[in-house]
């Protein structure tokens, strides 16, 4: 795959220019006034969530605040014809992106609400795949700030405090109402049962989706896997369909099934209903490919799979009879994304049964092909390398020598950059597998920054499977503040502890250098220097450990997404 990426980079003269215009390349400016207004409300993403706040207990968040605020705004969540609610520890964002893309491919106006954002707060609120514009966001706040302030004053008088997340969620719901969306796909922020998003109308809920449940946010969700699963099962509503993604923990699966049975919910097991067999990379043995996606994206950046529909999903999408099978392509990479795709397709089948009858196999295939998600194995290169590749391709198009992939004969391009927000042991393991499938022998420089409340040693244990030449530990602000940042020394200690508990370096394996840098930009520059010293094949700088680290990289570094 690496050689194929190099060939593509040299062959597309417009690639760098188009990518440089992408909003993912730099921080998009948006209203300082609107942000300053939001800053007056308590921000638990920055401060840290209190213990047990996501549980259905006296210590849990009070959903009454959210319901009263929405009532003040006219109960916008009651205006949508259809909604899908998505909870889980990992895979939520990918599932939402794929399902929203399927709806768009079917010709529906779909709103998507996700968190946290990668670059700008606007990115949490999207319709038709496009985030709310700066002007629309400012106008949304201007129209409803007085209502929100009055609600906040009422809550304060009763000893309550509206939070930043509650207010952003309520404004997103209002925006979807005002824009008259046909359907809304809503990602849970924390847990489910006491999350601010858990206010959807039973009559509009086409499906509650629970992706893979793991141990993240354990303190806020009760500690054990059973309690975490119970918190996420809280999005289920009596009699409404439930889609269960593949569950790595049997105990979580048992809790989810028991809750669904208690509520009389039809259960669709996504891995059984929508079965994928991976066809791997679409690049041929020579390292080149002539096929592209419908938008011209090079096929080498896709994964191909065979999808077979069975049971409920087959009946809903193609009618009774033989199971339907078709080849699909996804721009999101990694075998774990096939599980997320299965959940999205099963939810799409529920939406069709809910009345959105334009959703069919063609829309499913087109939506899966179109879906993208920044910060999930996102491949980039440095601006200078993209510029050089574009210049080389332009010379070749004019009949001259293309030189090397970097543009100048004899010049070696800098490393690729992979951005991934993996912040659980399970997602770190998936990242390690995907990276080595894409770049089997390339030297890797690992740049890690995490939040303080993550499973540092367990995540490091999984990342060690990459066998990086260097691991550089740094820190980035979490939701704009330092309160939840893990110190670089703390992460280096976790890396060393993982080596001891895992038996240390494997015989004949790479000896990983361990370094600390004060900032992400310094860490990435050091990673480039370390890879340059290897004088081997083109290396990879991997930035991971937090979506906040990914956002910082996109905002601060001269990167061009591929």
């Amino acid at each position: 795959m690496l050689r194929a990426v190099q060939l593509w980079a040299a062959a597309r003269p417009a690639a760098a220019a188009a990518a440089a215009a992408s909003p993912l390349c730099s921080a998009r400016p948006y209203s300082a006034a609107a942000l300053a207004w939001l800053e007056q409300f308590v921000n638990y993403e920055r401060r840290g969530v209190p213990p047990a706040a996501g549980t259905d207990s006296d210590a849990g968040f009070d959903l009454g605040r959210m319901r009263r605020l929405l009532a003040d705004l006219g109960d916008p969540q009651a205006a949508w014809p259809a909604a899908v609610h998505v909870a889980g520890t990992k895979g939520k964002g990918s599932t939402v992106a794929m399902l929203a893309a399927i709806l768009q491919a079917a010709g529906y106006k779909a709103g998507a609400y996700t968190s946290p954002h990668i670059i700008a707060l606007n990115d949490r609120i999207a319709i038709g795949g496009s985030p709310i514009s700066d002007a629309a966001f400012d106008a949304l706040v201007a129209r409803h700030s007085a209502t929100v302030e009055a609600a906040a004053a009422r809550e304060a008088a009763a000893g309550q405090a509206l939070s930043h997340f509650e207010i952003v969620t309520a404004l997103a719901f209002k925006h979807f109402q005002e824009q008259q969306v046909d359907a809304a796909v809503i990602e849970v922020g924390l847990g489910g049962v006491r999350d601010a998003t858990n206010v959807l109308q039973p009559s509009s809920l086409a499906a509650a989706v629970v992706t893979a449940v793991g141990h993240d946010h354990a303190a806020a969700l009760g500690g054990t896997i059973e309690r975490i699963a119970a918190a996420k099962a809280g999005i289920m509503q009596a009699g409404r369909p439930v889609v269960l993604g593949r569950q790595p923990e049997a105990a979580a699966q048992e809790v989810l099934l028991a809750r669904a049975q208690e509520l009389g919910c039809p259960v669709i097991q996504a891995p059984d209903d929508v079965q994928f067999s991976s066809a791997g990379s679409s690049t041929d043995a020579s390292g080149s490919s002539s096929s592209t996606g419908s938008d011209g994206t090079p096929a080498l950046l896709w994964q191909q799979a065979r999808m077979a529909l069975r049971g409920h999903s087959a009946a809903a999408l193609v009618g009774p009879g033989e199971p339907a099978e078709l080849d699909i392509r996804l721009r999101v990479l990694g075998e774990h994304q096939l599980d997320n795709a299965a959940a999205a397709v099963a939810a799409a089948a529920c939406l069709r049964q809910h009345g959105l009858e334009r959703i069919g196999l063609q829309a499913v295939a087109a939506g899966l092909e179109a879906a993208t998600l920044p910060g999930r194995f996102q491949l980039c290169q440095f601006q200078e390398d993209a510029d050089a590749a574009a210049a080389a391709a332009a010379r070749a198009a004019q009949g001259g020598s293309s030189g090397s992939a970097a543009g100048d004969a004899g010049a070696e391009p800098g490393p690729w950059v992979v951005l991934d927000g993996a912040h659980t042991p399970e997602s770190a393991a998936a990242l390690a597998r995907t990276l080595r499938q894409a770049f089997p022998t390339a030297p890797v420089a690992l740049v890690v920054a995490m939040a303080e409340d993550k499973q540092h040693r367990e995540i490091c244990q999984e990342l060690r499977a990459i066998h990086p030449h260097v691991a550089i530990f740094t820190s980035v602000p979490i939701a704009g503040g330092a309160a939840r940042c893990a110190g670089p020394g703390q992460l280096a200690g976790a890396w060393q502890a993982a080596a001891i508990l895992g038996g240390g370096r494997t015989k004949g394996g790479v000896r990983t250098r361990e370094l600390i840098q004060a900032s992400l930009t310094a860490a990435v520059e050091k990673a480039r220097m370390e890879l340059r010293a290897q004088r081997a094949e083109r290396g990879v700088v991997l930035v991971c450990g937090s979506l906040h680290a990914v956002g910082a990289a996109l905002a601060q570094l001269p990167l061009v997404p591929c």
Side-chain angles (χ1 to χ4, degrees):
M1 177 177 177
L2 177 57
R3 176 59 179 157
V5 175
Q6 292 171 329
L7 291 171
W8 166 73
R12 295 189 72 209
S22 167
L24 299 177
C25 297
S26 60
R28 183 177 65 245
Y30 53 107
S31 172
L35 288 182
W37 177 78
L38 283 168
E39 284 300 309
Q40 67 185 290
F41 304 103
V42 59
N43 188 336
Y44 290 112
E45 293 175 63
R46 179 182 303 164
R47 176 184 298 185
V49 179
T55 64
D56 195 19
S57 68
D58 290 343
F61 286 129
D62 180 8
L63 273 181
R65 290 195 304 268
M66 187 65 182
R67 294 191 178 101
R68 290 188 290 272
L69 174 59
L70 288 170
D72 293 341
L73 291 169
D75 282 320
Q77 77 283 7
W80 314 328
V84 172
H85 204 184
V86 184
T89 301
K90 61 189 184 77
K92 298 190 302 294
S94 297
T95 301
V96 168
M98 293 182 205
L99 183 55
I102 290 170
L103 282 162
Q104 185 176 354
Y108 290 107
K109 189 174 188 179
Y113 180 60
T114 57
S115 62
H117 58 272
I118 300 293
I119 294 293
L121 190 68
N122 310 46
D123 298 336
R124 300 187 183 202
I125 308 169
I127 295 178
S130 298
I132 185 172
S133 69
D134 301 334
F137 182 69
D138 289 344
L140 181 69
V141 169
R143 283 195 301 275
H144 305 296
S145 59
T147 300
V148 172
E149 288 169 0
R154 179 188 64 225
E155 299 298 336
Q160 298 269 11
L162 280 175
S163 71
H164 182 281
F165 183 76
E166 289 166 338
I167 291 165
V168 173
T169 301
L171 290 173
F173 289 4
K174 190 65 180 177
H175 180 62
F176 294 160
Q177 178 197 30
E178 292 174 343
Q179 294 300 310
Q180 298 182 323
V181 298
D182 299 309
V185 188
I186 308 298
E187 178 185 357
V188 163
L190 174 76
V193 65
R194 292 297 185 91
D195 188 72
T197 63
N198 197 21
V199 290
L200 304 184
Q201 299 292 106
S203 59
S204 65
L205 185 64
V209 180
V210 183
T211 62
V213 174
H215 292 271
D216 200 25
H217 300 296
L221 298 179
T224 67
I225 191 66
E226 292 84 359
R227 290 175 180 170
I228 294 171
K232 296 179 186 298
I235 68 167
M236 300 178 188
Q237 297 197 34
R240 305 309 303 151
V242 169
V243 173
L244 295 184
R246 190 183 305 279
Q247 297 301 322
E249 301 257 9
Q253 175 85 342
E254 291 176 6
V255 170
L256 296 170
L257 288 173
R259 182 57 176 163
Q261 183 178 17
E262 180 182 343
L263 293 173
C265 300
V267 175
I268 299 98
Q269 297 280 5
D272 297 333
D273 252 38
V274 186
Q275 298 177 355
F276 284 99
S277 53
S278 177
S281 169
S282 56
T283 306
D284 63 27
S286 68
S288 64
S289 175
S290 60
S291 61
T292 61
S294 58
D295 63 352
T297 305
L300 58 91
L301 298 180
W302 302 67
Q303 64 170 327
Q304 294 182 333
R306 183 77 173 171
M307 181 178 74
L309 298 180
R310 309 186 188 281
H312 168 272
S313 297
L317 291 170
V318 299
E322 293 297 318
E325 295 191 7
L326 72 160
D327 293 320
I328 61 98
R329 301 193 301 174
L330 294 95
R331 232 186 289 188
V332 287
L333 301 182
E335 291 184 2
H336 59 289
Q337 292 288 9
L338 298 179
D339 287 335
N340 300 328
V345 174
C350 293
L351 280 164
R352 179 179 171 88
Q353 285 198 321
H354 192 75
L356 279 65
E357 296 182 352
R358 294 202 299 271
I359 298 174
L361 281 185
Q362 184 177 358
V364 166
L368 293 179
E369 182 175 312
T372 60
L373 196 63
R376 279 72 165 183
F377 206 85
Q378 183 179 2
L379 181 66
C380 305
Q381 54 184 332
F382 289 101
Q383 182 73 57
E384 61 194 69
D385 296 318
D387 291 344
R395 287 197 298 271
Q398 295 172 2
S401 171
S402 63
S404 70
D408 295 317
E412 291 296 331
W416 300 103
V417 179
V418 171
L419 307 176
D420 197 288
H423 57 272
T424 69
E426 297 85 0
S427 56
L431 168 60
R433 289 192 300 271
T434 304
L435 188 133
R436 280 310 179 193
Q437 287 168 358
F439 301 96
T441 61
V444 174
L446 184 62
V447 175
V448 182
M450 296 190 213
E452 194 278 333
D453 55 351
K454 303 304 175 184
Q455 295 172 276
H456 303 146
R457 177 176 58 78
E458 292 83 355
I459 293 170
C460 287
Q461 184 76 62
E462 301 297 344
L463 293 176
R464 291 188 71 91
I466 296 171
H467 301 296
H469 281 71
V470 62
I472 306 174
F473 305 99
T474 188
S475 64
V476 296
I478 304 297
R484 293 179 56 214
C485 296
Q490 183 180 0
L491 298 178
W495 181 267
Q496 293 163 359
I500 295 170
L501 294 175
R505 179 163 55 106
T506 58
K507 186 177 181 180
V510 174
R511 182 185 182 278
T512 302
R513 295 187 64 206
E514 299 158 14
L515 303 172
I516 287 176
Q517 293 290 311
S519 69
L520 181 75
T521 52
V524 171
E525 182 56 34
K526 184 65 175 175
R528 294 177 75 180
M529 293 173 58
E530 291 285 327
L531 289 175
R532 193 177 298 126
Q534 293 296 319
R535 299 186 182 278
E537 64 178 287
R538 189 173 184 182
V540 178
V541 175
L542 171 60
V543 178
C544 64
S546 167
L547 287 170
H548 301 281
V550 168
L554 289 167
Q556 299 171 17
L557 302 175
L559 297 178
V560 176
C562 295

